Amino acid sequence: MERVPILKIGGVLLVSIQIDLQDQSVLALQEDLAEKISTTGAHGVVIDISAVEIVDSFIGRMFATIASISQLFDADTVVVGMRPAVAITLVELGLTLGGVRTALDLERGMKILRVLGEQRRGPSSDEDADPLRALL
Amino acid sequence: MVAEAGHAHRLTELLRENVDRLIEEWVTSAAVVLRGRSVRAELESEFREFLATLLPVADGDGRNLSGAEYAEIKALLEEFSRSRARQGFTPSETASSVFALKRIVFELTEQEEDPELFRELMRFSTLLDALGLWTFETYARAREEIIQEQSEQLLELTTPVVKLWEGVLAVPLVGTLDSARTQVVMEKLLEALVETGSEHAIIDITGVLAVDTQVAQHLLKTVVAARLMGAECTISGIRPQIAQTIVALGIEFGDITTKSSLADALRHALRREGIDVVRRAERRTV
């Protein structure tokens, strides 16, 4: 079974899905991610699915599940780079990903997380201490 | 059905002997129907070719045109019918050219009193009927192909995705919306969002005359799909009557932004992008 790598950039965890997802990989990813958020104390999760061409209802639900898991650790989830065909499929399946934020690409997704993070800490926080600020 | 072995098909022989006279009379009678829109020489060469192809199968009764022996004559008629369709002839005019041959063959055999020949003539007549109907079928098919092509082109033409501003796309919808068209709109809009990296899309339905539950459903799907990709979608230009219909039908637009005009929607999108449009300070008069 292939595992999806989880990368840490500042306070954000980046999950870039570049393989054909099997149900087993999805379950493993959810476990790994919960583990990782808990140990790193990340405040945001970005799931990049720009390489995903085929989705089913199971994968569709995965986004909502990951979002709920992150929510428990007080982290925001952004799904980025969804292809038109994938979006249409999810809508046809009736999955609207209610609690999940979406962005056109990784850059915009990171921006959303930065804004959310600022709101969370309040605007008075020291900007130099924010690793994302340096990144963008 | 085929004449017994050794017993030659009398009608075929008779036709073969009188080919020139037949063609001459046939062209004359067909030219009357076509009222001079076809050149005589052209008709003559067409009919000669037709007769040459018809004679080998003239002993059949044409009840089953799908047989391999009729393939050649069918292909010839198909070509004939298609070219007539392009020239603007009606299907009746095309078919009557074929039927005209019948009367001429009847006149040719009037003097004969052979009952066997009469039976052959009846079968030949059925064959010609079947062939005439075949031109009808081909004509209808040719027209259907043209209509199909045109409606596909229309579908492409009427759904442009235009860029209003950096990061703002618009789709002005005109005419009636059905599932096929909304599908095209949805795909084109989403593709354009990715290509241009736009975060705002406006669907303007000023030109849409009617909205029913199905159309509304399609619009909602498009908006949700755009949202899934990380773009915001606004619907603008809902006519007063349509607004009434939407409320009467109980269609819920939920948290989807709707604006009364395209201008309002553009202003909304610009504000979301962080752009303010301000009037320039009045120019000083000299």
Side-chain angles (χ1 to χ4, degrees):
Chain A
M1 182 190 69
E2 288 178 283
R3 288 187 106 87
V4 181
I6 301 169
L7 314 169
K8 181 172 176 294
I9 312 172
V12 174
L13 294 181
L14 172 61
V15 182
S16 183
I17 298 169
Q18 318 236 351
I19 55 168
D20 285 337
L21 279 179
Q22 305 296 321
D23 289 0
Q24 279 302 313
S25 324
V26 171
L27 293 173
L29 173 62
Q30 287 172 3
E31 278 173 31
D32 293 353
L33 198 61
E35 188 76 25
K36 199 94 171 184
I37 302 173
S38 135
T39 53
T40 60
H43 70 80
V45 177
V46 177
I47 308 172
D48 171 39
I49 54 165
S50 52
V52 175
E53 289 179 27
I54 299 165
V55 288
D56 55 19
S57 55
F58 192 78
I59 296 173
R61 276 204 306 278
M62 171 191 79
F63 302 125
T65 313
I66 288 180
S68 307
I69 293 172
S70 319
Q71 197 65 52
L72 291 176
F73 295 102
D74 195 23
D76 299 298
T77 308
V78 183
V79 174
V80 303
M82 189 183 293
R83 288 169 176 243
V86 172
I88 293 172
T89 311
L90 287 181
V91 172
E92 294 293 340
L93 287 173
L95 296 165
T96 52
L97 309 188
V100 186
R101 281 166 196 281
T102 50
L104 278 182
D105 50 34
L106 183 59
E107 194 180 342
R108 289 182 167 97
M110 296 297 258
K111 197 170 146 195
I112 289 176
L113 284 181
R114 196 186 69 208
V115 172
L116 287 175
E118 275 172 11
Q119 280 172 3
R120 191 183 306 245
R121 284 187 307 274
S124 60
S125 75
D126 185 7
E127 285 186 356
D128 291 336
D130 187 354
L132 270 173
R133 173 73 66 182
L135 195 82
L136 297 166
Chain B
M1 290 299 162
V2 179
E4 294 85 35
H7 185 282
H9 195 258
R10 277 209 58 198
L11 182 65
T12 312
E13 273 175 19
L14 198 64
L15 291 176
R16 218 182 283 278
E17 283 159 18
N18 296 289
V19 163
D20 289 321
R21 196 183 130 202
L22 271 174
I23 298 274
E24 174 68 26
E25 280 177 31
W26 191 11
V27 168
T28 312
S29 95
V32 173
V33 181
L34 302 176
R35 284 189 296 275
R37 275 179 289 169
S38 263
V39 186
R40 248 189 105 87
E42 199 184 314
L43 277 180
E44 195 182 319
S45 79
E46 267 176 2
F47 287 166
R48 199 172 284 281
E49 195 186 351
F50 177 71
L51 209 58
T53 324
L54 178 67
L55 282 179
V57 291
D59 55 349
D61 63 358
R63 244 179 250 169
N64 182 14
L65 266 190
S66 56
E69 66 270 30
Y70 295 116
E72 201 182 341
I73 185 90
K74 271 163 68 183
L76 188 71
L77 272 178
E78 211 170 302
E79 184 52 40
F80 182 63
S81 176
R82 264 167 208 276
S83 70
R84 287 292 167 89
R86 272 197 293 276
Q87 286 163 19
F89 288 95
T90 67
S92 320
E93 284 168 337
T94 311
S96 66
S97 297
V98 177
F99 293 141
L101 178 63
K102 244 197 316 193
R103 195 171 51 83
I104 292 149
V105 174
F106 283 150
E107 279 169 10
L108 184 75
T109 52
E110 238 166 13
Q111 276 76 44
E112 309 282 335
E113 281 178 7
D114 182 356
E116 176 61 27
L117 182 68
F118 182 71
R119 272 196 292 279
E120 284 173 3
L121 195 60
M122 286 308 291
R123 285 211 296 270
F124 183 67
S125 163
T126 327
L127 172 65
L128 277 184
D129 285 346
L131 290 175
L133 287 176
W134 173 251
T135 66
F136 253 104
E137 242 173 72
T138 324
Y139 186 94
R141 212 168 331 122
R143 296 297 282 230
E144 267 167 30
E145 279 167 19
I146 294 171
I147 292 170
Q148 179 74 22
E149 261 171 43
Q150 284 175 341
S151 66
E152 273 169 22
Q153 284 171 354
L154 208 61
L155 206 63
E156 285 294 307
L157 276 179
T158 50
T159 51
V161 179
V162 292
K163 180 176 162 184
L164 288 185
W165 206 277
E166 197 61 54
V168 184
L169 295 180
V171 194
L173 290 179
V174 178
T176 33
L177 285 178
D178 54 25
S179 2
R181 223 181 126 200
T182 345
Q183 189 74 23
V184 174
V185 171
M186 194 197 257
E187 279 168 19
K188 281 180 87 172
L189 177 62
L190 298 184
E191 291 286 346
L193 284 174
V194 175
E195 270 169 34
T196 59
S198 305
E199 280 191 316
H200 291 275
I202 301 167
I203 302 178
D204 185 73
I205 57 168
T206 314
V208 177
L209 299 173
V211 168
D212 57 16
T213 43
Q214 213 180 355
V215 170
Q217 191 66 32
H218 284 303
L219 284 176
L220 295 185
K221 272 185 190 172
T222 312
V223 175
V224 173
R227 194 175 283 176
L228 279 182
M229 289 171 53
E232 201 200 359
C233 204
T234 312
I235 295 175
S236 75
I238 300 175
R239 290 154 166 267
Q241 305 95 308
I242 291 180
Q244 284 180 22
T245 320
I246 288 173
V247 174
L249 288 174
I251 300 165
E252 282 289 332
F253 271 61
D255 53 350
I256 292 164
T257 324
T258 50
K259 294 281 173 190
S260 61
S261 69
L262 185 57
D264 285 339
L266 177 60
R267 192 179 300 137
H268 170 76
L270 289 178
R271 193 167 298 156
R272 294 294 295 257
E273 287 267 298
I275 299 167
D276 274 325
V277 184
V278 290
R279 190 182 293 276
R280 208 165 15 155
E282 220 171 282
R283 226 180 266 173
R284 244 176 266 159
T285 44
V286 187

